[in-house]
């Protein structure tokens, strides 16, 4: 009930009236939500990629660790560039949730079947019938998706996101996009 009252108060009096509430004080900036989600997508949801990187020659050396770290930053930046375009009040949480679920399902299929997901694999998925799809599913699918998607989605659902003025939000999203592309 307090959340409903808070929303009614926010609607009636504007965001400044409830800016000092406990929930508003722990609200996170949308850009940080994008950065954190991008880091999770780049690391935890890309276990098959990191297995392949670990198998490259020279990965036990300092240079190998440097390569892996730089590659992780590049993958996270790519995710951040995409999510920064979708980081608006009504689309931020749904877009990140969809990305997390897609990445978790992709990770499961890459781990379970040793495949790479590319354009031809997506065409194959669209041409799969119910019997073929049923053969691909097993008890590991919900475990993998649950481990990779549920913790960040649960955090995201509970995490209040700071309201940002439209012009400032546009500038922040553009800045985050440009920074991610430059990386």
């Amino acid at each position: 009930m307090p959340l409903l009252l808070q929303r009614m108060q926010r609607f009636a009096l504007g965001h400044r009236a409830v800016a000092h509430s406990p929930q508003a004080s722990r609200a996170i900036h949308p850009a940080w939500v994008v950065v954190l989600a991008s880091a999770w997508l780049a690391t935890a949801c890309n276990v098959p990629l990191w297995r392949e990187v670990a198998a490259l020659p020279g990965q036990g050396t300092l240079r190998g660790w440097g390569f892996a770290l730089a590659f992780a930053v590049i993958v996270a930046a790519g995710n951040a560039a995409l999510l920064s375009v979708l980081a608006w009040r009504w689309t931020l949480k749904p877009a990140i949730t969809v990305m997390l679920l897609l990445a978790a399902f992709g990770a499961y299929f890459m781990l379970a079947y040793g495949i790479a997901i590319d354009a031809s694999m997506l065409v194959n998925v669209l041409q799969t019938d119910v019997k073929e799809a049923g053969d691909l599913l097993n008890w590991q699918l919900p475990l993998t998706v649950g481990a990779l998607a549920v913790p960040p989605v649960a955090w995201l659902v509970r995490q209040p996101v700071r309201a940002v003025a439209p012009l400032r939000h546009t500038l922040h999203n553009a800045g985050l996009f440009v920074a991610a592309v430059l990386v």
Side-chain angles (χ1 to χ4, degrees):
M1 188 66 164
L3 183 61
L4 178 62
L5 291 174
Q6 203 173 39
R7 286 185 178 171
M8 289 172 47
Q9 185 181 26
R10 194 177 288 154
F11 176 77
L13 302 173
H15 290 291
R16 280 186 241 138
V18 291
H20 298 294
S21 70
Q23 187 176 13
S25 66
R26 68 180 188 98
I28 188 170
H29 194 282
W32 279 111
V33 175
V34 167
V35 168
L36 293 171
S38 297
W40 182 266
L41 287 165
T43 55
C45 291
N46 265 313
V47 170
L49 171 68
W50 300 118
R51 279 187 176 177
E52 294 299 317
V53 169
L56 292 174
Q59 278 310 106
T61 66
L62 184 59
R63 186 175 188 178
W65 282 101
F67 168 78
L69 180 62
F71 193 53
V73 169
I74 290 170
V75 172
N79 291 325
L82 175 62
L83 288 174
S84 69
V85 174
L86 304 170
W88 301 99
R89 180 177 182 192
W90 301 108
T91 59
L92 177 65
K93 287 184 177 185
I96 291 174
T97 300
V98 167
M99 290 277 292
L100 288 165
L101 288 170
L102 289 174
F105 277 99
Y108 163 74
F109 285 107
M110 287 186 286
L111 286 169
Y113 299 105
I115 60 167
I117 297 182
D118 56 8
S120 64
M121 189 58 66
L122 293 177
V123 170
N124 288 341
V125 167
L126 295 174
Q127 294 174 347
T128 300
D129 63 13
V130 175
K131 183 184 178 327
E132 287 177 337
D135 292 340
L136 296 173
L137 307 178
N138 62 41
W139 61 272
Q140 292 174 329
L141 175 65
L143 291 178
T144 303
V145 172
L148 294 175
V150 170
V153 169
W155 174 83
L156 185 64
V157 167
R158 291 190 328 264
Q159 181 62 49
V161 178
R162 186 180 306 160
V164 181
L167 179 59
R168 179 172 273 185
H169 199 148
T170 302
L171 293 173
H172 288 189
N173 284 2
L176 182 58
F177 178 80
V178 169
V181 168
L182 288 175
V183 167

